[in-house]
Amino acid sequence: MTEFPKSYEPKTAEQKWYERWVEKGYFKPEVNPEGAPFCIVIPPPNVTGSLHMGHALNATLQDILTRWKRMQGEKALWLPGTDHAGIATQNVVERKLAEEGLDRHTLGRDAFIEKVWQWKKEYGDRITHQLRKLGASCDWSRERFTLDEGLSKAVREVFVRLYEDGLIYRATRLINWCPRCRTALSDLEVEHEDLEGTLTYIKYPLVDGTGHITVATTRPETMLGDTAVAVNPDDERYKDFIGKTVELPLTGRTIPIIADKEVDPSFGTGALKITPGHDFNDEAIAKRQDPQLPSITVIGEDGRMTRLAGEKYKGLDRYECRRAVIEDLKELGLLEKQERYSHSVGHCYRCKTTIEPYSTPQWYVKIEPLAKKAIEAVRNKKIRIIPESWENSYFSWMENIKDWCISRQIWWGHRIPVWYCNDCGEIIVSREEPKTCGKCKSENLKQDPDVLDTWFSSALWPFSTLGWPEQTEDLKTFYPTSVLVTAFDILFFWVARMIMMGLRFMDDVPFRDVYIHALVRDAEGQKMSKSKGNVIDPLIMIDKYGTDAFRFTLAAFAAQGRDIKFSEDRVQGYRHFINKLWNATRFILMNLSEKHRDTVLSTDIESAQQTLASRWILSRLAFTIEEVNSALEDYRFNDAANTIYQFTWHEFCDWYIEMAKTEMSEEVRLCLLYTLERILRLLHPFMPFLTEEIWQQLPVKKEKDSITISEYPRPFARNKAAETEMAYIMDAITGIRTIRGELNIPPSEELEVYIKTSTQAVDRTLKENTHYIKKLARAKTVITGMDITKPKGSYTAVKDYLEVYVTLKGLIDISSELERLNKEKKKLEESILFLQKKLHNEEFLSRAPKHIVEKEKEKYNTLIQKQEKLLESIEKIQSLEM
RNA sequence: GGGCGGAUAGCUCAGGUGGGAGAGCGCAGCCCUUACAAGGCUGAGGUCACAGGUUCGAAUCCUGUUCCGCCUACCA
């Protein structure tokens, strides 16, 4: 045969094959025009992003599914793309500007956006190139970006329709505000963190001079905006205070004491200061009052105190102001005490700045009607969430969902398609830019300056990427998509919203399955983050071990419902696996000759084998194919990967190849080649490069130009008889090896072996296959028979259906042999005792299923026989000693 | 406050419907046996967190406890 390289070179193979695959268009669904449609839309990574472990796992799993389905002949589309990631991207570019001493406001809106586009052009492809390195079989000709023209059109269409249907509205109320990003955030974009803070007790003097009422707060600076003090109406201590007025220190204002049933009398002093302008809870109380309490905004959009906070505090940062207020209260003798207090504080999920509840006009989606249908879709199994345990989280979030604030005060994103008439104040919501006001015909119109939440456009991703609102062929073919693969951290952000939007605008679910995979953590179980410095860069892994070893590791780790603690050792382990398979190939090719060029591998091989080993390995192959397919069917990626690993290494390499060496006939060569070829196909979705590299070099007649588009192995009939017979042979071999191993006999010493068989079938099998035993156990002679007696001075290994005796030159070490056998005897006795108890238990016999009872009885009989054999051996040895 | 998940070999983890526990790595011993020392063979190592319960039978189902992790919430 032609020279097969000594070792696998990942780097050259990876580049060579990926380019070929793309060039030939294998990743386009057109390669299987007749197949059933299969579609995955990628969770679009941020354009600012660089491939991290989470992406790598996410992409690997999608690629495994896509390649598997493609090989099964389906019309498989994996649609790639990126997300413009409004706040994140804007932050990145702003940071860059800051380095040049610029900021977006001096630049102006248009120039700034131009800068971002430039940045996107330069760096925006980074992550998709990294996906290519990973082997991702995406159809790049269909790649999308959330700010593409088509997708933008979809966004405007959805906005206008929701507005027309009364599901989008504008309102002024408290919103989560990031004073650094200077934008509103949705509830989801706020991260809560438990922090050690201070609870400050402040005395508010009663105007009538009869004393004071003490309130407790974690945010003293907001007292400048208080408009009431609330107590529980049933709180006896404060009954007489309700309706009175207090003097609000530092402000010169007076505010009422009111009653509200939500006030918890047991917390703090039981009196609650009410700041409707900076606290969600207070806002709700204020609105419940009749008349409603006024709201005063004392902290501005930049996190600094406003004019309304008073001359003295105006312009101070909110934390500076806090210190100042405490100082001043102390001086007035109104600071009662301060105590340590741990509470939860909201932070901006992009820049970690503490959120300030802030009252501004914003656009909202009325979410409840959308959520209702989305709940239904999961409840009636139109959408399956896997693992199912996530359904609970989904339901509980959806059932308590609140209206979604979708406007953001940033520049990078989809501009809200709303115009205001400067003359008559009319609000115009339109797909196209209006020229005149529909009401007063004025041309003096101004577009809303805000952009939409990034998640608004990604919510449309499963249909906007396929061409919606146009009724394209792709849309008709691939919607609903087959499965969405994602991590749980964006279940609410993204998955839930896609379901709502899909149902609303396509009148069908966006995907049939949602597969939720784990988060990748470091070896200590910590979430990987740049600030902790514990990130493992997937690209470094790929560089060190090759893409295939890395991908296989991720798949093997991807057990459902558990986070992944990534360890580099495993990657190394799977690189060894690659080496193993590579060398197995080398061996097989070494045994082929020029005449094997274009060998036809027909499935007839599966049932036409003569030798026991060949019949056995094919039966095991059949089992493996069955198992891998069913594991993938259930998204049990780790089971699929391990099954292939186990079969390839421990059955094919460890046993079959070794046995093949004893009988290298034409038929066996074919069986080796056939099994190898099937292994490659089975493995291809997991290790695309290695398998292609080897496959291309096999001297087999190929019906396809690439393993990528070859057919995935299909299950066929197992041969249970071969598996049973092979078990006898394996028992004999391991029996001999155990003796050799425990006595530290070097492999170079060939043994004389006698095997006593307990049935005719076992005896026949052994007699027909002594060549395997001789070779694999390194035996000079193997004599078998049902009437064999233990030779003098031999060592013994007892198996279920046979006894192995090995004779050795020189004196047998009786005491160590006895010790070994007695140890085994003891184990056996324990097992027998256990089974005896079970089988003497009337209730077990009457209540357990028949087949279980039968099984246990059989087990018992086997053990008893084994015990007899063992005792016999021990007796012999002992009598020999005497 | 509510919810979810985890606790199995020294380490990292598997163990779809209950029928006396497995892998990889590591460890010990013997081996360069003509595909592979990135390898082969053999072996040691576990009261399946704890306490109850259901059952003929529990790592597996139920209840509670402890310890970890996560999600969620308008805890002044």
Side-chain angles (χ1 to χ4, degrees), chain A residues 230-245:
Chain A
V231 296
N232 191 296
D234 301 325
D235 191 336
E236 290 300 328
R237 297 170 296 175
Y238 296 121
K239 267 245 150 86
D240 299 337
F241 286 65
I242 298 168
K244 286 189 174 181
T245 308

Side-chain angles (χ1 to χ4, degrees), chain A residues 677-678 681 695 700-706 710-711:
Chain A
E677 203 270 351
R678 291 296 126 127
R681 292 194 197 201
W695 194 78
V700 299
K701 180 126 185 89
K702 293 159 183 137
E703 71 275 24
K704 292 283 170 55
D705 291 335
S706 163
S710 68
E711 193 194 13

Side-chain angles (χ1 to χ4, degrees), chain A residues 31-132:
Chain A
V31 298
N32 291 323
E34 305 302 324
F38 175 85
C39 180
I40 298 181
V41 291
I42 199 169
N46 294 352
V47 276
T48 52
S50 166
L51 196 79
H52 60 58
M53 278 293 180
H55 296 127
L57 172 66
N58 182 249
T60 297
L61 301 184
Q62 291 173 80
D63 198 43
I64 289 168
L65 291 173
T66 307
R67 285 180 184 270
W68 172 54
K69 288 293 182 183
R70 185 183 296 120
M71 288 176 78
Q72 286 189 329
E74 298 196 5
K75 193 189 295 197
L77 168 62
W78 182 13
L79 197 152
T82 45
D83 191 300
H84 67 279
I87 298 177
T89 309
Q90 176 155 330
N91 280 354
V92 168
V93 177
E94 282 194 284
R95 260 203 300 279
K96 225 182 126 211
L97 286 178
E99 284 167 19
E100 303 165 23
L102 292 169
D103 71 83
R104 67 176 161 119
H105 298 283
T106 55
L107 220 56
R109 184 164 190 146
D110 291 343
F112 176 76
I113 288 177
E114 188 47 42
K115 279 263 183 214
V116 186
W117 274 107
Q118 263 175 30
W119 185 91
K120 193 255 170 191
K121 231 181 213 161
E122 209 169 321
Y123 302 102
D125 291 341
R126 184 173 53 180
I127 195 155
T128 54
H129 278 115
Q130 290 167 335
L131 283 172
R132 288 171 170 91

Side-chain angles (χ1 to χ4, degrees), chain A residues 609-638:
Chain A
Q609 293 301 314
Q610 299 303 312
T611 79
L612 172 59
S614 295
R615 280 180 280 134
W616 171 77
I617 196 66
L618 287 166
S619 183
R620 297 307 299 157
L621 174 65
F623 167 79
T624 304
I625 292 172
E626 219 174 279
E627 188 56 29
V628 169
N629 275 302
S630 94
L632 287 176
E633 215 60 76
D634 300 342
Y635 303 102
R636 289 181 286 119
F637 296 95
N638 58 325

Side-chain angles (χ1 to χ4, degrees), chain A residues 174 219 222 274-284 356-358:
Chain A
L174 280 190
R219 302 201 55 198
T222 62
I274 302 295
T275 323
H278 294 283
D279 185 286
F280 292 104
N281 195 27
D282 293 0
E283 183 191 43
E356 186 61 48
Y358 182 61

Side-chain angles (χ1 to χ4, degrees), chain A residues 548 652 672:
Chain A
D548 289 316
F652 186 60
L672 280 164

Side-chain angles (χ1 to χ4, degrees), chain A residues 434-534:
Chain A
K435 294 275 180 296
T436 57
C437 170
K439 197 170 165 195
C440 74
K441 303 297 173 216
S442 162
E443 291 180 8
N444 190 5
L445 304 179
K446 195 178 129 220
Q447 187 171 6
D448 193 302
D450 293 350
V451 300
L452 288 164
D453 181 2
T454 304
W455 298 102
F456 190 87
S457 56
S458 31
L460 319 180
W461 188 251
F463 49 94
S464 64
T465 52
L466 292 170
W468 191 89
E470 310 306 328
Q471 288 301 311
T472 59
E473 273 309 305
D474 272 3
L475 190 64
K476 281 182 222 159
T477 309
F478 294 111
Y479 195 94
T481 67
S482 311
V483 54
L484 184 87
V485 180
T486 187
F488 64 81
D489 54 346
I490 50 175
L491 182 61
F492 307 138
F493 270 115
W494 191 47
V495 180
R497 286 165 177 169
M498 281 190 288
I499 296 173
M500 293 190 268
M501 291 301 191
L503 288 168
R504 179 84 190 177
F505 292 96
M506 294 296 298
D507 204 27
D508 200 351
V509 296
F511 25 72
R512 309 208 182 280
D513 287 356
V514 177
Y515 177 69
I516 301 204
H517 64 244
L519 238 46
V520 184
R521 301 174 183 281
D522 73 3
E524 272 73 52
Q526 297 284 308
K527 202 167 168 171
M528 290 188 190
S529 75
K530 276 185 204 147
S531 54
K532 281 188 205 135
N534 62 348

Side-chain angles (χ1 to χ4, degrees), chain A residues 371-617:
Chain A
K372 255 198 183 128
K373 293 200 168 163
I375 292 169
E376 257 323 285
V378 174
R379 250 193 235 296
N380 63 26
K381 301 288 173 195
K382 284 206 156 109
I383 294 176
R384 286 200 307 157
I385 297 181
I386 302 138
E388 217 170 289
S389 53
W390 286 105
E391 285 186 1
N392 275 337
S393 304
Y394 175 83
F395 290 135
S396 74
W397 188 69
M398 290 296 262
E399 278 155 10
N400 299 306
I401 197 165
K402 278 184 279 173
D403 284 358
W404 175 18
C405 174
I406 51 171
S407 44
R408 297 289 178 276
Q409 287 64 50
I410 57 173
W411 290 348
W412 176 243
H414 296 99
R415 190 92 177 250
I416 292 179
V418 172
W419 287 261
Y420 305 100
C421 176
N422 281 336
D423 291 330
C424 72
E426 176 73 353
I427 294 174
I428 305 152
V429 177
S430 162
R431 292 168 180 83
E432 304 297 334
E433 178 159 7
K435 294 275 180 296
T436 57
C437 170
K439 197 170 165 195
C440 74
K441 303 297 173 216
S442 162
E443 291 180 8
N444 190 5
L445 304 179
K446 195 178 129 220
Q447 187 171 6
D448 193 302
D450 293 350
V451 300
L452 288 164
D453 181 2
T454 304
W455 298 102
F456 190 87
S457 56
S458 31
L460 319 180
W461 188 251
F463 49 94
S464 64
T465 52
L466 292 170
W468 191 89
E470 310 306 328
Q471 288 301 311
T472 59
E473 273 309 305
D474 272 3
L475 190 64
K476 281 182 222 159
T477 309
F478 294 111
Y479 195 94
T481 67
S482 311
V483 54
L484 184 87
V485 180
T486 187
F488 64 81
D489 54 346
I490 50 175
L491 182 61
F492 307 138
F493 270 115
W494 191 47
V495 180
R497 286 165 177 169
M498 281 190 288
I499 296 173
M500 293 190 268
M501 291 301 191
L503 288 168
R504 179 84 190 177
F505 292 96
M506 294 296 298
D507 204 27
D508 200 351
V509 296
F511 25 72
R512 309 208 182 280
D513 287 356
V514 177
Y515 177 69
I516 301 204
H517 64 244
L519 238 46
V520 184
R521 301 174 183 281
D522 73 3
E524 272 73 52
Q526 297 284 308
K527 202 167 168 171
M528 290 188 190
S529 75
K530 276 185 204 147
S531 54
K532 281 188 205 135
N534 62 348
V535 284
I536 298 173
D537 185 345
L539 297 162
I540 291 174
M541 291 299 110
I542 287 174
D543 194 52
K544 269 173 92 171
Y545 304 102
T547 298
D548 289 316
F550 177 58
R551 283 173 59 122
F552 199 84
T553 309
L554 291 173
F557 260 127
Q560 285 183 13
R562 198 197 253 240
D563 284 345
I564 294 175
K565 284 192 218 165
F566 193 85
S567 90
E568 199 173 323
D569 288 350
R570 283 287 281 268
V571 193
Q572 198 164 8
Y574 291 122
R575 187 178 59 170
H576 296 172
F577 175 61
I578 287 175
N579 186 250
K580 189 76 184 172
L581 182 56
W582 185 265
N583 279 293
T585 306
R586 224 157 71 83
F587 171 76
I588 292 166
L589 293 186
M590 275 167 55
N591 281 281
L592 301 178
S593 63
E594 198 49 43
K595 71 168 184 181
H596 292 98
R597 188 170 295 285
D598 287 333
T599 303
V600 176
L601 294 181
S602 134
T603 51
D604 294 347
I605 292 171
E606 288 164 3
S607 52
Q609 293 301 314
Q610 299 303 312
T611 79
L612 172 59
S614 295
R615 280 180 280 134
W616 171 77
I617 196 66

